[in-house]
């Protein structure tokens, strides 16, 4: 039997057993090549927005190749250990370590670069589709062309050739360090089995649950007012990361075993075949895989959290635009407004206009701040803009009555106010007392014209009393002494009106709701696109790693299945136990990642948009559905192992 025959036989065997590895490699190369192709596509830098398309794609491609490289190196570690007996047999028949290394290198060369060629071909084929998806997300009207990039090809070959050299270096070190005896015993030493649960593991399990719960609690208090300075916020965030990550590690190290051991004790040690194949196996194996599972859970939570936040921003673009800019167009100077409305009239675009003169004032809000939730600084003195009820459509207030507008979800979470109570308007002559009569989400002024807590509406007579007594220094902080809002009668004409607005180039105090929507859709759409594809890459690679671990466990437990089959258990009996086992193996890291991401998003989602639940649930459902595929594939693999066990 020649070396070439051995190489071809092993290549066929490896391709059959590690088809997911080949798929993940092809997928990673395809995604990287298509990303780099987008980076060099001229249409990317022609997109409008504050984020350069090509630069953002290029930066994300670095993270992408890092994820794929870590996966390939880890997967290679699993594969080389699984082939340890084969390597030992090669040494027994007289092959030197150098010859064995060259044999494995030749196999990997064919498998690796064959997959890379397929990946580049697939990446080129789908690059136009990916560009079309990106244009669709960004709402860009441009033709996506299929363009082959020699620069992308060269960069992809160099990057993945470097990864291949790292893999070969890892194989070389492994072969040279192992003796024949250790090669035959490496698989049996790979997993640690513990029959009794020591005290330290019980303590670790309790600390793990406590650490995660503590991290969740601190995250819920992050923007509650308990942390008032930037240093306190930074320390709180570091504390949350430390508690959750360390707690997750200890959770896998001891908490899972502690909980399942409690179930076993509750049954007095009498377990069904399903529980033997699921709970018992997990109790003994998760401890040895604690670091790997912690990394998978943490990065899963990061992927889900970032994608949820970016989708929350993208999902909330229209409502955020209306919240920040209540009118289609706004101007801080009357001459800019007059020039614009004249052009609208000439173009036959109907509109209505409002004129508001906001006062920037200090407000004594100590009595309306819910101090049980928020500890006010500066004795409860806050800033706000004050307008007359004549300038606020639909409001008719009595003297002595005030109403706060623009109290949105961000304000609700960062500054908890009561709906009624006495407030004081601080003037140069003293304090004017008013009674707060309600909080409203609707905005009447753009965000740049508001004060710290929003816009307070008062009766016209009170406004006339406050205007001459307002602090002149505060008025200088305002965006403008007057605001002119333009609302189009037909919102479908907004694009045409915005072209006129852009051509006139008004001063910086002017705002366009349409420009804000375009900018947000470009920026957040691109971020969501990048985070989504990076998250998908990690999902596939981490799913493959868990699948490979199940392959190892399946081969190791094959003898146990043979004994159980001889005792009379059917394939269906064993398969039901395996299904429960995979539900825990894949479900526990998934649930932990979903839980971490939920509390992370919940702590600060209001800074990104106006709606949390729908975008986050959609992201979680999609991630769960894709993740479940690998659990299903592992069950199919175990079904094959069970069939071959007898």
């Amino acid at each position: 039997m020649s070396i070439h025959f051995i190489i071809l036989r092993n290549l066929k065997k490896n391709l059959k057993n590690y088809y997911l590895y080949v798929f993940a490699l092809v997928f990673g190369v395809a995604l990287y090549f298509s990303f780099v192709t987008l980076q060099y596509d001229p249409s990317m830098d022609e997109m409008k927005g504050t984020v350069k398309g090509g630069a953002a794609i290029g930066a994300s491609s670095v993270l992408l190749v890092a994820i794929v490289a870590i996966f390939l190196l880890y997967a290679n570690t699993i594969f080389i250990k699984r082939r340890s007996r084969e390597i030992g047999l090669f040494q027994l028949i007289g092959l030197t370590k150098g010859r064995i290394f060259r044999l494995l290198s030749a196999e990997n060369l064919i498998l690796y670069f064959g997959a890379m060629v397929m990946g580049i071909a697939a990446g080129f084929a789908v690059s136009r589709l990916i560009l079309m998806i990106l244009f669709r997300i960004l709402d860009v009207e441009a033709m996506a062309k299929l363009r082959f990039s020699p620069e992308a090809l060269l960069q992809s070959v160099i990057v993945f050739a470097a990864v291949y050299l790292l893999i070969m270096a890892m194989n070389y070190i492994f072969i040279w360090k192992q003796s024949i005896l250790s090669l035959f015993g490496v698989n049996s030493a790979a997993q640690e089995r513990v029959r009794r649960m020591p005290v330290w593991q019980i303590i670790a399990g309790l600390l793990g649950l406590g650490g995660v719960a503590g991290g969740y609690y601190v995250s819920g208090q992050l923007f509650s007012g308990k942390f008032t300075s930037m240093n306190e916020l930074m320390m709180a965030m570091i504390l949350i990361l430390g508690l959750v990550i360390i707690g997750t590690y200890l959770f896998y190290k001891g908490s899972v075993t502690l909980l399942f051991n409690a179930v076993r004790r509750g049954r007095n040690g009498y377990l069904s075949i399903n529980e033997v194949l699921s709970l018992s196996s997990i109790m003994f194996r998760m401890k040895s895989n604690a670091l790997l599972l912690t990394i998978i859970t943490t990065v899963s939570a990061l992927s889900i959290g970032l994608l949820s936040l970016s989708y929350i921003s993208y999902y909330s673009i229209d409502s955020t635009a209306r919240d920040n800019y209540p009118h289609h167009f706004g101007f801080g100077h009357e001459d800019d407004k007059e020039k614009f409305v004249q052009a609208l009239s000439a173009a036959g675009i109907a509109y209505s206009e409002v004129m508001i003169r906001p006062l920037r004032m200090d407000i004594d809000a100590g009595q309306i701040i819910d101090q049980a939730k928020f500890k006010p600084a500066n004795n409860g003195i806050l800033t706000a803009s004050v307008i007359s009820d004549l300038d606020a459509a639909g409001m008719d207030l009595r003297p002595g009555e005030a109403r706060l507008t623009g109290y949105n979800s961000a304000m609700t979470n960062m500054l908890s106010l009561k709906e009624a109570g006495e407030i004081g308007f601080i003037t140069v002559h003293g304090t004017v007392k008013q009674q707060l009569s309600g909080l409203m989400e609707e905005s009447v002024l753009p965000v740049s014209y508001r004060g710290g807590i929003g816009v307070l509406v008062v009766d016209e007579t009170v406004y006339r009393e406050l205007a001459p007594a307002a602090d002149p220094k505060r008025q200088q902080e305002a965006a403008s002494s007057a605001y002119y809002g333009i609302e189009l009668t037909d919102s479908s004409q907004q694009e045409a009106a915005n072209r006129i607005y852009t051509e006139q180039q008004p001063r910086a105090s002017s705002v366009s709701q349409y420009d804000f929507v375009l900018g947000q859709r470009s920026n957040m759409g691109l971020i969501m696109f990048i985070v989504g594809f990076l998250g998908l890459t990690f999902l596939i690679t981490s799913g493959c790693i868990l699948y490979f671990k199940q392959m190892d466990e399946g081969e190791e437990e094959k003898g146990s299945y043979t004994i159980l089959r001889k005792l009379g258990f059917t394939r269906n009996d064993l398969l039901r136990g395996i299904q429960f086992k995979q539900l825990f193996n894949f479900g526990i890291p998934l649930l932990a990642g979903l839980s971490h991401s939920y509390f992370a998003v919940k702590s600060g989602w209001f800074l990104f948009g106006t709606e949390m639940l729908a975008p986050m649930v959609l992201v979680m459902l999609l991630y769960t559905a894709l993740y479940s595929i690998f659990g299903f594939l592992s069950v199919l693999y175990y079904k094959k192992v069970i069939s071959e066990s007898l």
Side-chain angles (χ1 to χ4, degrees):
M1 184 168 57
S2 65
I3 293 296
H4 295 90
F5 178 80
I6 295 175
I7 292 174
L8 293 176
R9 189 201 64 178
N10 287 342
L11 183 63
K12 181 179 179 181
K13 179 182 177 182
N14 290 339
L15 191 61
K16 180 180 178 181
N17 290 336
Y18 308 136
Y19 60 92
L20 267 184
Y21 170 77
V22 176
F23 166 76
L25 178 57
V26 171
F27 176 82
V29 174
L31 196 56
Y32 180 80
F33 179 77
S34 58
F35 257 60
V36 179
T37 299
L38 292 184
Q39 178 185 352
Y40 291 107
D41 196 304
S43 62
M44 292 301 298
D45 286 330
E46 292 175 2
M47 292 190 311
K48 296 180 180 179
T50 59
V51 177
K52 280 286 186 180
I57 294 292
S60 65
S61 65
V62 177
L63 294 176
L64 175 64
V65 77
I67 294 173
V68 175
I70 292 172
F71 159 71
L72 292 175
L73 292 172
Y74 186 85
N76 182 73
T77 302
I78 296 176
F79 298 154
I80 197 69
K81 287 183 178 179
R82 288 198 65 186
R83 300 186 65 182
S84 58
R85 289 178 178 272
E86 180 184 345
I87 295 172
L89 287 173
F90 284 151
Q91 290 191 40
L92 285 176
I93 64 175
L95 293 180
T96 63
K97 290 185 175 182
R99 191 151 182 127
I100 295 172
F101 172 72
R102 288 193 294 272
L103 186 148
L104 295 180
S105 300
E107 292 177 17
N108 280 317
L109 182 68
I110 298 172
L111 184 67
Y112 187 91
F113 284 95
M116 193 174 78
V117 170
M118 289 189 291
I120 290 174
F124 173 68
V126 302
S127 59
R128 183 171 180 266
L129 175 62
I130 293 177
L131 189 59
M132 290 172 62
I133 293 173
L134 179 59
F135 284 169
R136 177 68 176 175
I137 293 174
L138 302 182
D139 199 19
V140 174
E141 295 182 2
M143 181 65 68
K145 299 179 180 178
L146 186 64
R147 176 180 176 271
F148 184 82
S149 172
E151 300 94 337
L153 175 63
L154 179 62
Q155 186 169 326
S156 300
V157 171
I158 292 175
V159 166
F160 283 94
V163 175
Y164 172 77
L165 293 177
L166 288 175
I167 292 174
M168 291 302 98
M170 180 183 293
N171 290 346
Y172 181 85
I173 295 172
F174 177 83
I175 293 172
W176 241 255
K177 286 179 63 177
Q178 300 294 330
S179 65
I180 294 180
L181 289 177
S182 62
L183 286 170
F184 282 101
V186 69
N187 282 333
S188 59
Q191 298 287 350
E192 181 182 358
R193 290 181 174 271
V194 180
R195 297 191 175 276
R196 296 184 61 185
M197 192 171 184
V199 176
W200 71 263
Q201 194 174 359
I202 297 175
I203 297 174
L206 295 174
L207 289 176
L209 294 173
V212 172
Y216 288 171
Y217 174 78
V218 177
S219 70
Q221 304 297 315
L222 198 58
F223 295 101
S224 65
K226 293 186 177 180
F227 308 105
T228 55
S229 68
M230 186 60 66
N231 288 335
E232 289 179 348
L233 279 174
M234 287 295 297
M235 292 302 295
M237 291 179 182
I238 294 172
L239 178 63
I240 292 169
L241 285 175
L243 286 174
V244 172
I245 293 175
I246 296 174
T248 302
Y249 176 77
L250 294 177
F251 171 77
Y252 290 121
K253 201 74 174 175
S255 301
V256 174
T257 305
L258 179 65
L259 294 174
F260 288 168
N261 195 50
V263 173
R264 188 174 66 174
R265 287 180 178 274
R267 302 288 183 87
N268 294 321
Y270 295 100
L271 302 178
S272 67
I273 184 63
N274 292 343
E275 293 165 339
V276 169
L277 293 175
S278 56
L279 301 186
S280 299
S281 177
I282 294 169
M283 286 171 59
F284 296 133
R285 292 188 182 273
M286 275 204 169
K287 176 175 173 286
S288 60
N289 296 329
L291 181 59
L292 170 65
L293 294 173
T294 300
I295 294 172
I296 290 177
T297 300
T298 304
V299 183
S300 292
L302 184 64
S303 301
I304 298 171
L306 290 177
L307 187 55
S308 296
L309 291 175
S310 60
Y311 188 43
I312 285 171
S313 296
Y314 187 83
Y315 186 90
S316 307
I317 285 175
D318 291 332
S319 57
T320 302
R322 177 61 68 174
D323 182 59
N324 289 337
Y325 306 104
H327 304 99
H328 290 140
F329 299 93
F331 298 89
H333 297 85
E334 187 174 8
D335 53 344
D336 287 337
K337 184 266 298 183
E338 287 297 329
K339 183 180 177 182
F340 179 68
V341 297
Q342 290 174 10
L344 290 182
S345 300
I349 300 176
Y351 63 91
S352 60
E353 57 179 294
V354 297
M355 193 274 283
I356 303 174
R357 295 187 180 276
L359 302 174
R360 183 65 60 86
M361 302 189 69
D362 286 333
I363 309 295
D364 183 358
Q367 294 190 26
I368 65 170
I369 296 175
D370 189 352
Q371 299 193 23
K373 299 180 180 179
F374 182 86
K375 300 299 181 184
N378 197 23
N379 297 320
I381 304 299
L382 305 173
T383 60
S385 290
V386 183
I387 66 171
S388 167
D389 59 350
L390 296 182
D391 294 331
M395 289 194 195
D396 184 14
L397 304 181
R398 299 187 302 272
E401 183 183 4
R403 192 166 299 167
L404 181 65
T405 66
Y407 189 67
N408 52 29
S409 55
M411 291 292 299
T412 304
N413 285 276
M414 298 183 67
L415 178 64
S416 183
L417 300 179
K418 302 175 183 177
E419 293 191 3
E422 186 179 77
I423 56 176
F425 295 82
I426 301 175
T427 69
V428 294
H429 303 307
T431 301
V432 178
K433 303 289 186 178
Q434 300 284 296
Q435 287 293 324
L436 184 69
S437 63
L439 307 172
M440 298 177 58
E441 291 187 12
E442 292 80 10
S443 301
V444 295
L445 282 174
V447 63
S448 57
Y449 288 82
R450 304 174 198 167
I453 60 172
V455 179
L456 281 162
V457 184
V458 297
D459 180 72
E460 171 67 13
T461 58
V462 177
Y463 177 82
R464 290 179 180 178
E465 177 186 352
L466 294 175
D471 188 349
K473 294 181 179 179
R474 283 297 187 196
Q475 307 317 305
Q476 294 175 3
E477 299 173 0
S480 178
S481 60
Y483 166 75
Y484 304 90
I486 305 298
E487 189 75 9
L488 303 182
T489 304
D490 184 2
S491 59
S492 64
Q493 295 180 305
Q494 196 171 355
E495 184 177 357
N498 193 72
R499 284 197 293 268
I500 298 174
Y501 173 87
T502 304
E503 290 171 359
Q504 292 186 352
Q505 297 181 347
R507 277 167 277 190
S509 57
S510 304
V511 293
S512 167
Q513 190 183 102
Y514 188 81
D515 276 349
F516 176 82
V517 170
L518 285 183
Q520 285 293 101
R521 185 167 287 125
S522 176
N523 291 339
M524 299 314 305
L526 183 59
I527 292 173
M528 185 175 70
F529 173 82
I530 291 172
V531 172
F533 273 90
L534 289 177
L536 180 62
T537 304
F538 176 78
L539 169 66
I540 290 178
T541 54
S542 61
C544 286
I545 288 174
L546 289 177
Y547 175 81
F548 297 148
K549 295 294 290 184
Q550 295 310 303
M551 288 177 63
D552 272 352
E553 292 181 13
E555 292 296 328
E556 186 178 337
E557 295 171 354
K558 193 172 183 178
S560 301
Y561 301 142
T562 302
I563 295 173
L564 290 172
R565 290 288 303 279
K566 289 180 178 180
L567 290 174
F569 291 100
T570 65
R571 284 186 296 179
N572 289 334
D573 292 333
L574 299 182
L575 191 59
R576 281 194 295 270
I578 294 302
Q579 289 170 347
F580 277 106
K581 176 183 176 180
Q582 299 315 310
L583 181 64
F584 286 116
N585 275 327
F586 286 86
I588 290 176
L590 175 63
L591 288 177
L594 292 175
S595 178
H596 292 354
S597 62
Y598 169 77
F599 281 95
V601 171
K602 187 175 181 294
S603 66
W605 70 271
F606 46 84
L607 300 175
F608 295 83
T610 58
E611 176 66 31
M612 180 191 79
L613 198 58
M616 186 174 64
V617 169
L618 184 60
V619 169
M620 288 183 171
L621 288 177
L622 180 61
Y623 197 92
T624 301
L626 294 175
Y627 198 82
S628 301
I629 294 174
F630 295 96
F632 176 74
L633 291 175
S634 67
V635 171
L636 293 181
Y637 181 81
Y638 266 95
K639 186 176 181 180
K640 175 186 173 184
V641 172
I642 293 172
S643 299
E644 295 174 351
S645 64
L646 187 64

